[in-house]
Every structure is written in structure tokens, then in C-alpha cells.
Amino acid sequence: MKRMLSGIKPTGQLHLGNYIGALKHFVEYQDEYEMFAFIANLHCITVPQDPKELQTNLRDCVALYLACGLDPKKATIFLQTDVMEHAQLGYIMCCHTYLGELNRMTQFKDKQANGEQNLTGGLYTYPALMAADIVLYDADYVPVGEDQKQHVELTRDVAIRMNNRYGELFRVPEPLIAKVGARIMSLSDPNKKMSKSDESNKGCIYLLDDLKAARKKVMGAVTDSVGKVHYDPVNQPGISNLMQILSSLTNDRPFDEIEAEFEGKGYGDFKRAVADAVCAKLEEIQNRYREILASDLIETTLADGAAKASAVASAKLAKVQKAIGMEIITR
Ligand code: ATP
Ligand code: LTN
């Protein structure tokens, strides 16, 4: 069975972009692949976190993985820090990643270009840790949103480099990016990615948003003056974004079918249909989320997941360290 691995940073509350671009696919693939789904809590401290908020976000993130349909019997669900090998292999990968490669990573470059102050070393070297996350499990595929493609490509380059230098160590992974929904845009500015760091809060639908608030955000989404429900991301980015959301939440309904349904109707009708689909999905997730919080499923899932992931990760780290010639006592 082919392996798949992905992670989400608990830097804030999970949003619809995280669900449509990533989480939904983890769930779809868990039957077909050996799935490793983790919470990237080392990655999230690359930017400052409030400890209390982080603790809440962390628990919510695990609960939401489960509430969205990840099944601990099928997928290995774990916390990155529960498997020490991530940090250790992360350091080793960092020592095989060139500064030129890190300098090209847009996430860091953008923050620097925006004049953000006190950027950390952890943020700069983060793609090397992400590479370790992936190769530690010999993942064949990495389902992610569009913004992460560059990091998976770097992982491939470093894995190939190390395989060439030390002999076959790692499987070389491929990013798996959905055709629809890999970059859900902000509802208040369809030229910007829907993001946890949305300051106005109007453009981002959180999975735990109150349903009324979520509906209001959809109904207030920025559209255009064309007046036709048509998929054209360049000229109608707002409408095209809503079409992607609707399609993703309704069994990948084709765009031409959506266009035909709303032919001759106003944007109000279309937005109501999108809001209905969003609220139905949020309601389903939130009901399950409340049940999970009232149970001990978070703890049992993480304990189980950490044990399964550690077994794979420790064997891989031992192999790498031996190949590099770093070890004396074989583990
Ligand atoms: P932020 O929302 O703060 O920009 P992020 O994308 O940097 O967060 P994560 O929350 O860890 O980081 O992302 C988890 C997954 O969700 C990744 O695979 C990412 O590509 C995907 N993702 C994030 N935002 C979107 C979006 N707007 N549309 C589609 N996929 C997204
Ligand atoms: N960098 C990703 C989160 C992440 C990840 C990973 C995704 C960390 N390690 C390994 C896939 C595979 C992000 O910022 N969204």
C-alpha cells in the first residue's frame, strides 16, 4: 500500500481553506493509502504563540481532524513533538539543505519583504524540518494546498541529494494538489489566500464559526459586476472562488452544472446555495467535534498514533545516522 503523509500547523483555528485544500483529502485517501496525519506543533512555534491559545488550538486541531472524518483505526494521527525523530532528522536535513534553497522559499521571503520584524531562525529553516517530516515515513504522496508545493519540491531535491551521497535512504515524495480547491481565496479579498492571519476576519470561515456568522460572511463575499455565475478566476475571482467552495462541498459537482443551475439567476440566489452548503458542512463537523471533546478520543488517538509513528520513524532515523557514519552504538 502506498503511503501518504500530511500535517497542519495549529497556529490558529482551522478554516475552510484548510478543510477543502487539505483535510478533506486526508479523509478521502485514508481508505486507499496508509495515511499519516500529524499536527505540526514544532512548525507552529516558528512564529510567536501564546501558550494558552496554543494549547486550545492544539486540542481543537486534533478534535477537528477526527470531526472531519479521519478515523484513528485507518490513519495514524499524531502530534509531531510526540515523535522526537522529527526534530533530530530535521537537523540532519537542515545540514543537507543549501542557503540558496532556503532563500528561495516564498513563505520566508514574503514575510521578510513585508518588513515583518524579529523573524526567527526556526522560520527560515522550517522547510528542512518539513522535509524530515515527509521522508521519515517514506511517504509516496503529500496532499497539500498550492502554497506548500514549493516545500515538497525542496524535500524531493534534498532527498535525492542524500540518496546520491549515502545510498538509497528515502523514498522521493510527490505533492498531491487537487485541481479544485487547492487555493481557496479570502471572501473579502478574492485575490488573497483564505488564511488564519486574516485581520478583518470577514474573509475567513473557521470550521468552528457560529453558523449565522458563517452565513453572513458568505452573503457578504466580494463578487463583481458581471452578473453571471461563471468560472473565470481572472475576471471573476470572487464568484470563481465561491464556485470552488460549492463544488468541493457538494461531491465535486462540475462547474458547468453549477453554471447551468444559476443561469439567469442573481448572485443572491447563488450565495444562498453556497451558504447552505457551507453551513451544512460546518454543522456536521461541529456536532461531531462536540461529541469528541466530551470523550477521551483525543488522548487515545494521540497515544496510539505516537506509538505507531515512532516505530516507523525510529527505524528510519537509525538507518540515516548509520549511513552518514554518525553512530557508534547501533540502536
Ligand atoms: P494560514 O492559513 O495561516 O496561511 P498555512 O497555510 O500557512 O496557514 P496550515 O494551516 O498548516 O498553514 O495549512 C494546512 C494545509 O492547508 C496545507 O496543506 C495548506 O496548503 C492548506 N491550506 C491553507 N490555506 C489554504 C487555502 N486558502 N486554500 C487551500 N488550501 C489551504
Ligand atoms: N508546512 C505546512 C505544514 C506541514 C506539512 C508537513 C505539510 C509541516 N510539515 C509535512 C505536509 C507534510 C504548512 O505550513 N501548511
Side-chain angles (χ1 to χ4, degrees):
M1 206 184 226
K2 295 261 189 197
R3 276 208 185 140
M4 193 169 270
L5 171 135
S6 200
I8 296 185
K9 287 181 299 192
T11 36
Q13 288 284 321
L14 297 195
H15 54 73
L16 201 61
N18 298 137
Y19 176 74
I20 293 176
L23 203 39
K24 172 177 177 258
H25 304 292
F26 303 177
V27 177
E28 285 165 355
Y29 291 129
Q30 66 182 338
D31 290 310
E32 219 181 309
Y33 295 90
E34 193 183 345
M35 182 80 200
F36 289 82
F38 74 103
I39 315 282
N41 59 345
L42 282 173
H43 287 273
C44 80
I45 61 162
T46 54
V47 294
Q49 297 293 332
D50 172 78
K52 270 209 185 105
E53 261 176 47
L54 177 56
Q55 185 55 215
T56 306
N57 290 336
L58 209 52
R59 290 189 79 81
D60 277 352
C61 198
V62 186
L64 283 170
Y65 267 29
L66 298 167
C68 288
L70 267 179
D71 179 350
K73 291 195 196 76
K74 296 178 184 164
T76 303
I77 303 166
F78 64 101
L79 221 56
Q80 193 178 24
T81 44
D82 284 340
V83 183
M84 307 302 173
E85 285 79 1
H86 285 256
Q88 190 150 343
L89 186 63
Y91 175 75
I92 294 174
M93 298 306 278
C94 197
C95 293
H96 291 80
T97 305
Y98 301 133
L99 291 183
E101 290 173 320
L102 292 176
N103 288 338
R104 278 197 295 277
M105 297 294 114
T106 50
Q107 212 165 22
F108 187 83
K109 245 180 23 189
D110 288 352
K111 283 197 195 302
Q112 209 171 29
N114 284 342
E116 287 190 36
Q117 296 296 305
N118 300 329
L119 297 179
T120 67
L123 185 72
Y124 183 61
T125 56
Y126 146 126
L129 177 61
M130 176 160 165
D133 299 336
I134 297 169
V135 296
L136 204 43
Y137 299 91
D138 275 326
D140 296 280
Y141 300 108
V142 185
V144 280
E146 182 65 43
D147 59 317
Q148 295 300 319
K149 190 172 172 211
Q150 194 185 33
H151 293 152
V152 183
E153 278 162 0
L154 176 74
T155 304
R156 290 173 59 84
D157 292 343
V158 181
I160 292 170
R161 177 174 310 142
M162 291 178 72
N163 284 347
N164 288 339
R165 193 175 302 172
Y166 303 110
E168 208 57 24
L169 284 178
F170 306 124
R171 204 165 292 170
V172 180
E174 273 178 48
L176 207 70
I177 295 167
K179 285 203 186 72
V180 172
R183 191 171 168 81
I184 296 296
M185 309 309 274
S186 160
L187 299 181
S188 52
D189 179 355
N191 295 309
K192 269 181 21 198
K193 184 180 96 124
M194 184 180 283
S195 163
K196 290 170 196 147
S197 37
D198 178 4
E199 274 141 28
S200 79
N201 227 356
K202 282 193 203 146
C204 182
I205 294 186
Y206 295 96
L207 297 181
L208 295 176
D209 262 351
D210 167 74
L211 299 188
K212 267 200 201 130
R215 180 170 292 276
K216 207 165 153 203
K217 287 180 191 176
V218 176
M219 295 311 290
V222 168
T223 53
D224 52 60
S225 54
V226 178
K228 194 172 157 61
V229 175
H230 173 56
Y231 189 74
D232 178 354
V234 176
N235 298 307
Q236 295 186 256
I239 287 294
S240 302
N241 188 41
L242 292 175
M243 284 178 76
Q244 295 214 30
I245 293 175
L246 183 59
S247 166
S248 303
L249 296 181
T250 52
N251 293 322
D252 301 324
R253 237 176 116 191
F255 290 151
D256 55 359
E257 213 181 287
I258 297 175
E259 287 173 355
E261 183 184 339
F262 293 97
E263 173 88 60
K265 293 190 183 153
Y267 285 169
D269 286 335
F270 172 58
K271 282 182 169 176
R272 254 186 298 282
V274 179
D276 287 346
V278 168
C279 288
K281 181 49 77 181
L282 294 195
E283 194 173 15
E284 180 192 321
I285 293 172
Q286 291 175 11
N287 287 340
R288 183 81 189 104
Y289 164 83
R290 280 188 282 271
E291 283 170 20
I292 289 161
L293 282 195
S295 74
D296 62 357
L297 201 59
I298 294 181
E299 287 74 11
T300 55
T301 298
L302 292 182
D304 241 40
K308 280 195 239 160
S310 292
V312 180
S314 61
K316 177 59 76 180
L317 181 68
K319 181 174 174 180
V320 173
Q321 295 193 157
K322 189 160 180 254
I324 295 179
M326 295 168 78
E327 283 192 345
I328 291 185
I329 303 169
T330 305
R331 296 197 303 158

